[in-house]
Amino acid sequence: MKAQEITFSLRRTSTILAVSVLTLTLVAALTGILLAFYYEPTAGGSYNSLRFMTTVIPNGWLFRSIHDIAGNLVIVVALIQLVVMFFGERFRRSWLTAWISGIVFITIAMGLGWTAMILDWSQVGFWRLKIELGIIESIPFAGTALRDILTGGGALNTLTVARMFTLHSYILSIVAVILSIVHLASLVWQEREVKSEALDSTAAPTADSLSTALSDASNA
Ligand code: HEM
């Protein structure tokens, strides 16, 4: 397979993966909104409302599982997509948008997973967050303030769940959806750019290019 064909198929693969990233993000966002119809963002209430959703609401377990799978899978697919982009040798200015949106998207998707840690108010989530907030608090100067913003100050409680839920379902979700659209759009734009360049380079020589070629040849 010629190098050009390999590069082309890598580029096409990364565009297809970007479509999958957008699809998974929209699935996570839509199932998240459905979960929010029953989800109670309070300490204790979150655990009970999720259990109610899984055991009482028809297909509640299905939407919760789809949300969890889509929310975790999107990180894996976005990472693979970035690697394929790298091997697709797409290092151009117009690519900056694709690169930056891809890298920031992965950070936001990880942030969505992180903020979701406490949303089911489970033992695991509670102690994991407590340990990680301890690490955040050790950040010089800003640590304590950052911890208080995330928790609402003091111990982990209803305010913590409410703040993490707000970060998760409003701020980070909206940014994730926008970034996944920008990312795909910049890849498609890039494909168009490459295609038009290829067409230009194979186009029939114009009168101008012919006369330049001739004068160059006569000067040679
Ligand atoms: C781009 C969009 C989103 C992504 C990528 C995402 C991702 C995630 C992830 C990774 C989890 C943890 C799943 C686990 O326990 O393994 C989660 C949980 C959760 N998310 Fe989202 N989420 C998104 C949008 C939303 C929205 C818009 C809402 C609500 C309006 C929402 C509500 C929830 C709730 C209630 C949980 C806890 C469910 C559980 O523990 O199973 N999410 N989300």
Side-chain angles (χ1 to χ4, degrees):
M1 207 178 187
K2 279 189 290 168
Q4 216 179 2
E5 284 165 2
I6 292 172
T7 311
F8 174 78
S9 45
L10 280 170
R11 290 181 178 171
R12 183 48 54 86
T13 311
S14 84
T15 308
I16 293 167
L17 285 171
V19 173
S20 326
V21 167
L22 176 58
T23 313
L24 284 169
T25 308
L26 291 176
V27 168
L30 292 174
T31 49
I33 292 167
L34 289 175
L35 294 184
F37 278 90
Y38 292 96
Y39 181 72
E40 192 189 320
T42 60
S46 51
Y47 181 83
N48 295 332
S49 61
L50 284 167
R51 206 174 53 175
F52 175 76
M53 241 185 275
T54 317
T55 52
V56 179
I57 306 295
N59 298 322
W61 62 271
L62 181 64
F63 288 119
R64 190 178 170 192
S65 315
I66 294 176
H67 188 73
D68 295 355
I69 294 166
N72 288 300
L73 194 58
V74 77
I75 301 171
V76 179
V77 177
L79 280 169
I80 295 171
Q81 199 262 337
L82 215 61
V83 173
V84 174
M85 262 169 73
F86 180 79
F87 288 111
E89 302 168 3
R90 293 184 153 183
F91 313 120
R92 294 159 175 263
R93 182 176 291 286
S94 57
W95 250 83
L96 219 50
T97 322
W99 272 107
I100 294 173
S101 59
I103 293 166
V104 179
F105 175 84
I106 289 174
T107 320
I108 298 288
M110 288 180 179
L112 278 157
W114 192 81
T115 50
M117 218 185 312
I118 196 74
L119 292 185
D120 59 358
W121 199 245
S122 65
Q123 284 290 325
V124 179
F126 180 89
W127 291 109
R128 256 187 71 197
L129 186 62
K130 208 163 171 60
I131 293 164
E132 298 196 10
L133 285 171
I135 298 167
I136 289 174
E137 199 171 0
S138 63
I139 300 171
F141 309 113
T144 315
L146 201 55
R147 186 195 185 286
D148 287 347
I149 291 170
L150 290 171
T151 61
L156 301 191
N157 52 29
T158 285
L159 210 47
T160 317
V161 179
R163 293 209 170 173
M164 288 295 188
F165 182 63
T166 308
L167 264 177
H168 182 91
S169 53
Y170 294 107
I171 301 168
L172 295 180
S173 298
I174 294 170
V175 175
V177 171
I178 293 170
L179 280 173
S180 58
I181 294 170
V182 169
H183 187 60
L184 178 59
S186 55
L187 288 177
V188 172
W189 171 34
Q190 160 96 92
E191 290 236 5
R192 289 229 174 98
E193 210 179 49
V194 171
K195 210 177 279 173
S196 63
E197 273 170 20
L199 284 174
D200 292 351
S201 62
T202 54
T206 59
D208 287 352
S209 60
L210 268 178
S211 60
T212 332
L214 278 174
S215 61
D216 291 353
S218 61
N219 294 341

